[in-house]
Amino acid sequence: MQHNLAHAKALAPNSKTWSVVKANGYGHTLKGVFSGLSGTDGFALLDIGHAAFLREYGWKSPILLLEGIFSKDDLDECLSLQLDVVVHSLKQVQWIENWLEESSGPQQDAAFKRIQIWLKLNSGMNRLGLTSKAYVEAFHRLHVAGFAVNHLTHFANADDVNVLPTVDAQVEMFNAVTQGLSGQKSLANSAAILWHRFTLEDWCRPGIMLYGASPTGRYKDIEHAQLKPAMLLRSEIIGLQNLRKGDQVGYGGRFVAQRDTQIAVIACGYADGYPRHAPDGAPVWVASGDNLSQGGICPIAGRVSMDMITVDVTDLPSAKIGSPVELWGDLLPIDDVAEASGTVGYELMCALAQRVPINIVS
Ligand SMILES: *Cc1c(COP(=O)(O)O)cnc(C)c1O
């Protein structure tokens, strides 16, 4: 993560960096990401409780709440934790105004200094964000209330130039709406940092690239981008079965042996966050004997179950009970596993289950 953050910063040398650690640091846990990403300028996340954890760890620099407040009452904590807050709706503007009215004078003054607002423009993604008319209204209302107001939008297709709205169109709208308004700007996610560097502005917001996976979900797109995988999911072989041609494996008998086949049973299943949709043929890296780096890719054979997966190790006869296995990591890119299962690395990381023992290496 340290390496990936340094790389993101090198690509955006004139911008500050919000390291996006929502969803529990994309599944790496806040504790797990904290030291690797401590060189960041700020952290961005959703959950006020998680912001409080970062403050407890001693983080004194900015923290951005990406979806802002969910009720007026959240503002007390935003103030005490000194958070930067996204405002994406006029409802949130109203909560802030009401909260200020109810607060006494000194608290108001403190609020202006401590809470920075990031207005979020819907520039074409049509998920969260204010329309251009509401945006200008919100800007003026919050400005009149005395806040520092900054500008933010999010790209729908920075990872794919063939889909509308394009990055260019979103930037054009963002510039048109924010023209002449004071405040800092933030637009770029990982894909924009990698592939649309004219969007970097004051603050960029890398997420997935910090964890060494591809915004597109395809490993080949970041193969040469100097990123390193942050999460290594590893287990080992706990059983072997020798099948005759025609024998079936696991629930539903999905895999049918086309030859005499050796099946290895690995201690990892969908209760650990391994995708149950992984089809026969999805890749698993299996060690040769005890030597993980000398192993090879073996195909999944049979349905993923709660606690186990089964792989065909016929072509890797050195695999034995106790042989280590990498489900994803630096020998097998998480994007390759995700692609085989019809998803993206983001989802696999975030779905890593609580029961998986985490070994934080720093
Ligand atoms: C998740 C998120 C990001 C980070 O996106 P990546 O594709 O992981 O780089 C940036 N900005 C916002 C608003 C987000 O929700």
Side-chain angles (χ1 to χ4, degrees):
M1 284 181 249
Q2 206 166 30
H3 167 93
N4 295 338
L5 175 62
H7 186 57
K9 281 173 156 281
L11 292 175
N14 302 314
S15 307
K16 291 185 176 176
T17 304
W18 292 115
S19 287
V20 180
V21 297
K22 64 194 182 194
N24 218 13
Y26 287 46
H28 297 71
T29 74
L30 286 184
K31 203 170 168 208
V33 301
F34 188 67
S35 72
L37 298 179
S38 61
T40 190
D41 300 291
F43 285 105
L45 42 65
L46 298 190
D47 190 314
I48 295 190
H50 286 186
F53 275 130
L54 292 177
R55 290 294 185 226
E56 276 171 34
Y57 295 158
W59 182 252
K60 295 198 168 61
S61 296
I63 300 175
L64 175 63
L65 285 187
L66 284 168
E67 292 183 5
I69 51 173
F70 295 89
S71 75
K72 178 165 64 79
D73 297 338
D74 285 346
L75 285 160
D76 293 328
E77 246 178 314
C78 292
L79 178 60
S80 64
L81 293 170
Q82 212 171 322
L83 304 183
D84 285 43
V85 177
V86 164
V87 170
H88 61 74
S89 71
L90 289 177
K91 184 78 192 171
Q92 291 179 321
V93 175
Q94 200 187 343
W95 283 335
I96 292 170
E97 288 170 340
N98 293 347
W99 176 74
L100 283 176
E101 274 165 25
E102 291 164 18
S103 308
S104 60
Q107 189 180 353
Q108 275 192 36
D109 289 347
F112 303 152
K113 290 194 208 92
R114 287 198 196 165
I115 299 182
Q116 292 245 355
I117 305 284
W118 290 82
L119 271 189
K120 184 167 188 175
L121 178 70
N122 172 12
S123 56
M125 188 172 183
N126 294 323
R127 202 180 52 177
L128 280 187
L130 294 143
T131 60
S132 36
K133 192 159 162 280
Y135 192 93
V136 175
E137 178 189 331
F139 179 86
H140 289 296
R141 279 166 62 180
L142 292 166
H143 214 64
V144 165
F147 286 97
V149 184
N150 305 293
H151 310 281
L152 182 147
T153 197
H154 191 53
F155 294 128
N157 301 305
D159 61 328
D160 189 342
V161 292
N162 297 312
V163 184
L164 297 177
T166 61
V167 168
D168 286 10
Q170 289 195 256
V171 169
E172 197 175 319
M173 177 173 171
F174 181 78
N175 287 340
V177 174
T178 59
Q179 193 180 24
L181 304 180
S182 60
Q184 305 174 81
K185 295 179 177 175
S186 176
L187 296 89
N189 55 5
S190 296
I193 294 166
L194 290 167
W195 301 309
H196 306 277
R197 278 197 280 284
F198 72 101
T199 67
L200 296 175
E201 295 287 355
D202 301 299
W203 287 79
C204 50
R205 305 189 306 273
I208 194 74
M209 71 182 293
L210 301 176
Y211 310 104
S214 174
T216 64
R218 290 178 301 268
Y219 177 65
K220 69 174 169 54
D221 296 328
I222 58 154
E223 198 169 0
H224 304 291
Q226 298 173 46
L227 300 174
K228 294 183 179 177
M231 184 187 287
L232 315 183
L233 181 61
R234 292 180 173 168
S235 184
E236 62 185 51
I237 296 175
I238 57 168
L240 289 167
Q241 299 287 351
N242 291 305
L243 273 54
R244 308 297 302 272
K245 185 178 174 186
D247 288 348
Q248 298 174 323
V249 178
Y251 290 119
R254 185 179 74 182
F255 178 82
V256 182
Q258 303 299 310
R259 55 177 176 171
D260 289 354
T261 297
Q262 185 164 56
I263 293 291
V265 182
I266 293 163
C268 180
Y270 62 77
D272 300 292
Y274 195 87
R276 184 173 175 277
H277 287 109
D280 289 342
V284 175
W285 184 279
V286 179
S288 172
D290 293 322
N291 191 336
L292 194 59
S293 60
Q294 289 302 309
I297 288 175
C298 298
I300 292 237
R303 209 182 267 169
V304 170
S305 38
M306 186 181 285
D307 308 309
M308 284 167 271
I309 56 177
T310 42
V311 301
D312 182 343
V313 294
T314 315
D315 297 328
L316 192 73
S318 54
K320 58 184 177 62
I321 288 179
S323 288
V325 166
E326 183 171 286
L327 288 317
W328 56 71
D330 53 7
L331 300 163
L332 174 58
I334 192 168
D335 289 309
D336 287 354
V337 180
E339 202 177 356
S341 303
T343 182
V344 288
Y346 295 81
E347 188 182 11
L348 297 189
M349 290 175 186
C350 294
L352 188 75
Q354 287 253 323
R355 81 171 187 187
V356 176
I358 295 183
N359 179 16
I360 297 168
V361 182
S362 58

